[in-house]
Amino acid sequence: MSRYCVAPWFLIWLMLVYQSGCCLLDTVIAASSFSHVHHYINKSNVDQDYCERKRKLSNFGGWRLCTEKFTATLPIDPIQDNYVREARDFIFSVVYPTPFKSRVLLVAVSKEVLEDILDLDVSVSGSEEFLQLVSGAKIVLGSLPLAHRYGGHQFGSWAGQLGDGRAHLIGVYTNRFGDSWELQLKGSGRTPYSRSGDGRAVLHSSVREFLGSEAMHYLGIPTSRAASLAVSDDDVWRDRFYTGNVKKERGAIVLRVAKSWFRIGSLEILAHSGELDLLRLLLDFIIGEHFPSINMNDPNRYLDFFSRVVSETAHLIALWMSVGFAHGVCNTDNFSLISITIDYGPFGFMDSYNPDFVPNMSDDERQYKIGNQANIGLFNLNKMLQALNPLLDPRQKQLASQILEEYPKQYYKCFTELFKAKLGLLGDTEDDNYLIAFLLKLMEDTKADFRMTFRQLSEISQDLLKDFSIPKEFWALQDVAKHKFFSSWVDLYLLRLKRNTGDSDSERSRRMTNINPRYVLRNWMAESAAQKAERNDFSEIHLLQQVLQHPFQVQTVAERTGYAQRPPAWAKDIKVSCSS
Ligand code: AMP
Ligand code: MG
C-alpha cells in the first residue's frame, strides 16, 4: 500500500503526458534505470530524429527506439519495483529486462527483418552493442521498456490476469517506409506478470519460435517476425514433459517484432475488472493506430473494429488450415487484435492429414486440435464481444451479434477459396466443396501427408494422373492412391480441371506450385535444429532459415537433406509441451 502512496499513478501519468512528442536525445545504447529515464527525453530532437530515421543505417548511430506512443497516451503502472502483483488502472508496467549472468552467443539473425524492417545493415549484428540490445543487457536510451498487463481465457476458462510474464517491449521503431514496428524481447526476465514463472525461455522453444514465425511469414501468413536469437549459459530449469524430471536447459532470448502485440486478452482484463474508461481509451488507441479507415468520430467505431477482427481472424485461421498449421495454444491471450499469428509455443505443422492433430502434449482434451481451430476462433471472438458489450448500446449489441454470426460463413468462404487455389481450380462450380472434402477424406483414411499430397498434385501432369501412373518420387500421392475411391476422385478432378477456362496444364502446375509449399518447418526439422543448437551447432538453424525463405522453390540442398521426404520414423515420437 505504501508503494502506491510514494508514487500515485496519476502523477507519473501526468509526467509522461507532459513529456509527449519526443523520442530520445542520445543514440548511445546504455543500461539505464527507471529513475533516470525521463531526463533523456528532449523535444528539440524530433525533426532530426525523423530525418535520420529515413536513411538506411549501417550502424547504430542515429538508430532510434521509443515507447513514447504508449507512455504518452496510455496510463502506466505507478509502481516501479519489479515484483509479482495483480493490479489495475493501467495498461503497461515499466520494467527492465534482466541481463543474463553468463556469456551470450548470437545464434542467428534474420537479415530481412534487420534490413527491410529495422533499416539496419546486417553487419550491425556483429557488434557488441547489438548483442547487448538483443539479449536485454542494454536498452536504447530514452525508450522505456514495458510489460503489458492483459488477461485471457485459457482452455475455455477465464484465467484472470496474465500479462507479459517473460517479455519486454523494448521500443517502437518507425522505419523508412513510415511503418511502426514494436520490438519485444521474449525470455528476458521476470516482470510484475511473471506469476510463478522465472521470466525465461529455453533454447529449444526459442529456436522453434524463431524459425516458426519466419517460416510462416514466407508462407504468406500474417505473423510476428523474429529478428534474432541469442543464447546464454544461464541455467533455466524445466520439466519439459511434466514427468517430474526437471532438467537444466539454457536461457535464450528472441527479439521478435510485430506491428502490434495487443491481444483479445488486452481488452478482456479491462472489461472483467470494470475499467471501462480505460477499455475505451485502449480501443481508441488501437483503432487510431492500426485501423486508419475507421472513423474515430463514428459512434459505431467499435462495431466496425469488431467486424474487421472477425473477418481477419476467419481469414487467418483459414490460412493456418491451408498449410496445416496448428497453433497449439489458442487462448484469447494468444489471439492478436490485428489478426497475426503470435506467441509461438507448442505449435506444429501437421504431417499426415488428421483433423484431430494436436501438437501440444499438454492439451489432453484435444481442445486445440487442428480441426477445432475455426470453432475456437469463434469462441475467442465471442469473448472479445463480451469485453466490448459494456461499451455498446442495445442496438449495437444486436448488430455485433449479427457480425459474429457471419464468422462461420466468412471462414468457410476463405477456406474454400484457399483450397480451390491449392487444387488449381479456376472459377466456381457448385461441386468444388465436395471435391475438396472428398480429397481430404481420402487423405485422412490413408494418412497421406497433407502438404506433399497437394504439392505433388501440383507437380504431376494430368496425363500421368489420368493413367494412374504415379512415379515413385510422388510418395504422398502414392499413399492416397491406395484408397479404393482415389480413381473416382481423379475422374472428378480431371473433369473439373477441364472447366478451367483459358488454362493449360503447365499454367495450372505453375499456379499450384506457387502456393503449395514443398518445405515447411516440420516438427522433426525444428527438433533436429534445436537438438544440434543445444550442442552449440547452429548450422541447421541457418540451413532452415535459408530453405524456409523459399518454401515453394525446389532447392538442391533441401532435397539432399530430406526436407521434402517422408518424415523420419522418430518424428512421431516428438513431444512438445507448454513448458518452454
Ligand atoms: P504462453 O502460453 O507462453 O503464451 O504464456 C501464457 C502466460 O504465461 C503469459 O502470461 C506468459 O507471459 C506467462 N509465462 C509463460 N512462461 C513463463 C515464464 N517462464 N515466466 C514467466 N511467465 C511465463
Ligand atoms: Mg502467450
Side-chain angles (χ1 to χ4, degrees):
M1 190 60 173
S2 62
R3 291 173 200 277
Y4 285 94
C5 299
V6 174
W9 75 263
F10 59 86
L11 276 184
I12 302 227
W13 166 229
L14 276 178
M15 266 166 59
L16 292 166
V17 169
Y18 174 72
Q19 289 155 343
S20 63
C22 52
C23 264
L24 56 148
L25 176 65
D26 210 327
T27 62
V28 180
I29 295 181
S32 38
S33 71
F34 180 68
S35 55
H36 298 140
V37 169
H38 303 303
H39 303 303
Y40 298 118
I41 299 174
N42 181 333
K43 272 188 171 176
S44 64
N45 259 45
V46 173
D47 290 344
Q48 196 193 331
D49 278 356
Y50 181 67
C51 297
E52 285 194 0
R53 246 187 266 138
K54 287 207 293 196
R55 64 187 168 83
K56 189 169 171 180
L57 301 162
S58 58
N59 58 46
F60 276 123
W63 196 71
R64 304 284 193 270
L65 283 185
C66 66
T67 39
E68 187 266 338
K69 83 170 180 188
F70 298 115
T71 55
T73 318
L74 302 169
I76 303 293
D77 184 355
I79 301 179
Q80 303 163 21
D81 297 338
N82 187 6
Y83 63 93
V84 172
R85 57 191 178 266
E86 294 231 349
R88 51 176 291 138
D89 298 325
F90 55 83
I91 306 291
F92 289 105
S93 297
V94 176
V95 57
Y96 278 78
T98 308
F100 289 123
K101 295 189 194 77
S102 60
R103 115 196 130 122
V104 180
L105 268 178
L106 187 65
V107 171
V109 294
S110 160
K111 182 172 183 287
E112 294 64 36
V113 173
L114 293 188
E115 297 197 339
D116 303 343
I117 293 180
L118 299 179
D119 298 337
L120 289 170
D121 194 284
V122 72
S123 61
V124 152
S125 62
S127 70
E128 183 58 25
E129 280 178 327
F130 183 82
L131 191 59
Q132 289 175 330
L133 178 78
V134 303
S135 64
K138 293 191 178 177
I139 288 292
V140 175
L141 277 182
S143 187
L144 285 174
L146 303 171
H148 173 38
R149 167 181 169 245
Y150 58 79
H153 277 83
Q154 299 192 318
F155 294 93
S157 310
W158 175 241
Q161 179 183 290
L162 300 165
D164 290 330
R166 52 172 170 171
H168 293 81
L169 181 63
I170 56 165
V172 180
Y173 182 73
T174 303
N175 69 16
R176 61 195 185 280
F177 308 113
D179 295 332
S180 289
W181 289 84
E182 300 176 8
L183 282 72
Q184 197 185 66
L185 299 177
K186 179 169 174 183
S188 39
R190 304 190 84 219
T191 75
Y193 311 103
S194 295
R195 297 176 292 155
S196 55
D198 57 8
R200 291 299 183 196
V202 298
L203 180 58
H204 186 273
S205 65
S206 305
V207 169
R208 287 171 47 83
E209 170 143 14
F210 179 81
L211 290 174
S213 58
E214 284 297 283
M216 288 284 271
H217 168 74
Y218 289 107
L219 288 169
I221 300 184
T223 176
S224 61
R225 303 286 306 269
S228 65
L229 167 62
V231 66
S232 72
D233 285 332
D234 279 26
D235 297 343
V236 175
W237 297 88
R238 290 286 183 272
D239 179 3
R240 205 190 282 177
F241 306 114
Y242 304 118
T243 54
N245 187 9
V246 180
K247 277 201 169 146
K248 190 165 78 181
E249 303 202 29
R250 291 157 79 192
I253 294 181
V254 174
L255 172 59
R256 46 187 207 173
V257 305
K259 293 259 175 80
S260 169
W261 290 102
F262 287 120
R263 304 124 198 279
I264 292 182
S266 307
L267 307 177
E268 281 181 290
I269 191 142
L270 303 177
H272 266 260
S273 52
E275 297 162 73
L276 299 188
D277 287 342
L278 197 44
L279 177 61
R280 213 172 272 115
L281 188 69
L282 182 61
L283 278 166
D284 287 341
F285 179 84
I286 294 170
I287 294 169
E289 286 281 322
H290 302 289
F291 296 81
S293 59
I294 298 181
N295 178 358
M296 294 303 293
N297 298 317
D298 185 344
N300 288 324
R301 64 190 177 280
Y302 302 147
L303 276 186
D304 251 8
F305 169 59
F306 182 58
S307 162
R308 308 282 168 96
V309 181
V310 169
S311 50
E312 287 308 310
T313 301
H315 186 213
L316 179 68
I317 298 178
L319 281 168
W320 287 355
M321 298 304 287
S322 75
V323 294
F325 175 82
H327 182 284
V329 195
C330 296
N331 296 332
T332 53
D333 48 295
N334 290 336
F335 260 50
S336 150
L337 288 175
I338 58 163
S339 308
I340 59 170
T341 315
I342 55 167
D343 282 17
Y344 288 76
F347 70 89
F349 284 92
M350 164 175 71
D351 291 334
S352 294
Y353 179 74
N354 173 14
D356 289 336
F357 169 66
V358 178
N360 175 7
M361 64 164 279
S362 322
D363 184 2
D364 297 330
E365 290 173 21
R366 310 183 90 77
Q367 282 190 52
Y368 296 150
K369 64 184 182 186
I370 196 163
N372 207 23
Q373 292 188 124
N375 288 331
I376 295 296
L378 181 60
F379 175 91
N380 290 350
L381 291 164
N382 195 31
K383 293 297 166 198
M384 176 175 169
L385 177 55
Q386 285 175 15
L388 295 178
N389 261 336
L391 307 186
L392 305 178
D393 64 30
R395 190 192 61 91
Q396 289 174 325
K397 280 184 192 160
Q398 200 189 352
L399 288 172
S401 300
Q402 286 167 9
I403 289 170
L404 194 55
E405 278 167 24
E406 289 299 302
Y407 168 86
K409 260 185 255 161
Q410 289 175 333
Y411 171 77
Y412 198 53
K413 186 165 180 285
C414 293
F415 180 93
T416 306
E417 286 308 315
L418 288 165
F419 276 78
K420 270 176 59 186
K422 282 172 82 65
L423 286 175
L425 311 183
L426 298 176
D428 283 319
T429 75
E430 266 175 28
D431 297 334
D432 287 347
N433 281 315
Y434 176 74
L435 193 68
I436 295 164
F438 192 171
L439 176 63
L440 292 177
K441 176 70 179 130
L442 301 186
M443 289 165 64
E444 185 180 351
D445 289 353
T446 53
K447 298 190 172 34
D449 188 84
F450 174 66
R451 268 164 317 274
M452 286 310 274
T453 301
F454 281 98
R455 177 70 191 195
Q456 290 170 2
L457 275 175
S458 320
E459 291 169 345
I460 200 164
S461 69
Q462 288 188 46
D463 287 342
L464 286 178
L465 208 51
K466 203 180 313 169
D467 298 342
F468 298 112
S469 50
I470 299 171
K472 192 163 100 289
E473 62 271 25
F474 290 72
W475 53 272
L477 263 190
Q478 282 198 338
D479 285 350
V480 202
K482 288 183 191 132
H483 202 290
K484 62 177 176 192
F485 293 127
F486 181 67
S487 56
S488 316
W489 183 82
V490 169
D491 289 346
L492 285 178
Y493 182 51
L494 294 176
L495 211 59
R496 174 63 180 83
L497 287 180
K498 285 209 177 78
R499 298 175 72 170
N500 279 354
T501 37
D503 203 17
S504 67
D505 203 33
S506 59
E507 185 51 27
R508 169 198 69 91
S509 174
R510 191 200 57 77
R511 261 195 333 271
M512 286 171 70
T513 47
N514 278 339
I515 53 164
N516 286 304
R518 193 161 168 92
Y519 318 109
V520 299
L521 184 67
R522 291 179 187 265
N523 238 1
W524 74 268
M525 300 179 195
E527 184 66 26
S528 169
Q531 283 184 11
K532 285 182 188 153
E534 277 162 359
R535 302 191 298 271
N536 272 346
D537 171 0
F538 307 128
S539 57
E540 193 155 9
I541 295 178
H542 301 150
L543 176 64
L544 282 168
Q545 272 188 286
Q546 183 193 322
V547 168
L548 297 174
Q549 220 180 88
H550 306 286
F552 307 106
Q553 269 173 34
V554 178
Q555 297 166 59
T556 314
V557 64
E559 297 298 314
R560 211 185 310 123
T561 320
Y563 289 161
Q565 288 305 311
R566 204 181 278 286
W570 59 269
K572 64 180 185 327
D573 300 324
I574 300 168
K575 292 192 177 102
V576 282
S577 75
C578 278
S579 166
S580 60

